Amino acid sequence: MKKMLLAVCFFALGLAACGGGGGDSGSSSAQPAAKLLKISMYGKPIVSASSTAVAHAQFSLISAAVAADAPNAASDAQTTAKSLTDALAARGVPASITTQVIDGTALHQIVTTEYNGKSPTPDQFKTDPSEMIVVNFQLDDMVTPSTDPAQEAAMKQFAADLLVFAQWAAVAGKYVLVVAPIQTCDTQYSAASGLQWALYEAFGNGAPLHFAGAVPDGFGFDTNGKPIPDVGTDLSHYGADCRSPDAYLQNALLDSVAKDIAAIYKESNGASAASDATPVSTPPTVSATSRAQQRQLS
């Protein structure tokens, strides 16, 4: 596949602290105010308003005002925004977060209607990122295994759409941070692993993405496709269907994303972020399952 080299600076977020007036107050201890970090969140809410994950709802494109026929999406989006704002504030990062809940179909509609499905030209990549987009996009169908032909086609379309979306976000001066999907244990060829493949495919084809977020649990599969949990992993966190992450995993993911965002913010302000995880500009190690899918889909 053709690779597009993007002249995008991933780290210059333009988030330097405000200078502060000081004036004639005579106070030498006054500290400059930290600049507000503007974040737009796109995709499935990371956490739910209730203690039970809403795992497979298919959402339409909605704003913070959200449509009346999607009360769960509205509540979960607000809960995620509030939880992430609080988690960042606890790490010394003032943030203003707006939410857009989007599924794969809505992402495709944005790309085709706003950008005519085309990537920007190389000369348009002139703006250093000054705002952040956190994306947690999902496939429309997060149940059907990734080996299904229709799901394979959806994954390929998703990867192509995300590439265009992220490139235009970079042109608009927005740093795109991708939330790593929680892998599910229903099958080694789960829809979640298909989503992971699609994210990596977009990145490999030139999407200016950074990856963030992780959960403490992990597992593999035996030769019969049965999940084998790592030491300390409790598969009950994934629900009776093994693909519905509970509040424990949701909160762990949100906390990890907050750490990564704080690390970016502190680094851009010249502060030490040694205690926080640093998001990677390359995706995490691809699992054997994802590599198999990559061979299959290439």
Side-chain angles (χ1 to χ4, degrees):
M1 294 184 180
K2 295 182 179 179
K3 305 293 187 293
M4 182 179 293
L5 297 178
L6 304 177
V8 178
C9 176
F10 288 131
F11 298 104
L13 293 180
L15 300 177
C18 297
D24 298 324
S25 63
S27 173
S28 60
S29 61
Q31 297 295 320
K35 185 174 182 179
L36 187 71
L37 174 59
K38 294 181 180 179
I39 299 174
S40 297
M41 297 194 70
Y42 287 80
K44 178 186 174 185
I46 299 175
V47 297
S48 301
S50 66
S51 59
T52 303
V54 181
H56 312 303
Q58 296 185 27
F59 300 129
S60 298
L61 173 60
I62 55 178
S63 67
V66 260
D69 62 349
N72 289 336
S75 179
D76 292 347
Q78 292 166 359
T79 298
T80 294
K82 178 65 165 59
S83 299
L84 184 58
T85 300
D86 291 346
L88 289 170
R91 293 175 169 83
V93 179
S96 172
I97 300 176
T98 58
T99 58
Q100 298 270 9
V101 184
I102 298 175
D103 62 10
T105 297
L107 172 62
H108 183 64
Q109 291 171 347
I110 290 175
V111 168
T112 54
T113 58
E114 294 190 21
Y115 311 123
N116 200 28
K118 297 180 179 179
S119 297
T121 57
D123 62 295
Q124 291 177 284
F125 291 96
K126 298 177 180 177
T127 307
D128 288 338
S130 59
E131 295 184 17
M132 180 180 290
I133 291 179
V134 176
V135 299
N136 189 34
F137 292 140
Q138 307 281 288
L139 301 172
D140 287 339
D141 178 356
M142 289 300 294
V143 177
T144 302
S146 58
T147 49
D148 179 86
Q151 189 74 298
E152 289 180 358
M155 290 156 51
K156 290 179 179 179
Q157 185 63 62
F158 179 96
D161 290 337
L162 181 59
L163 168 63
V164 176
F165 178 89
Q167 288 176 331
W168 280 107
V171 168
K174 298 180 185 294
Y175 178 102
V176 183
L177 196 68
V178 176
V179 177
I182 298 176
Q183 293 305 299
T184 59
C185 51
D186 48 327
T187 167
Q188 61 182 343
Y189 298 109
S190 66
S193 67
L195 173 61
Q196 177 177 272
W197 176 89
L199 295 175
Y200 293 174
E201 180 74 358
F203 176 85
N205 286 334
L209 304 172
H210 280 255
F211 291 76
V215 296
D217 289 359
F219 49 83
F221 294 89
D222 63 19
T223 55
N224 296 316
K226 181 179 179 180
I228 304 174
D230 294 345
V231 176
T233 293
D234 183 353
L235 293 182
S236 68
H237 288 306
Y238 296 85
D241 59 3
C242 223
R243 58 172 177 256
S244 299
D246 65 6
Y248 165 78
L249 292 176
Q250 293 176 33
N251 291 329
L253 180 62
L254 183 135
D255 187 66
S256 179
V257 170
K259 286 183 179 179
D260 291 339
I261 293 174
I264 297 169
Y265 182 92
K266 292 175 182 178
E267 181 177 344
S268 68
N269 281 279
S272 172
S275 62
D276 284 327
T278 301
V280 293
S281 57
T282 55
T285 302
V286 180
S287 66
T289 299
S290 294
R291 287 196 295 272
Q293 290 169 341
Q294 191 166 15
R295 289 195 297 271
Q296 180 182 26
L297 292 170
S298 61

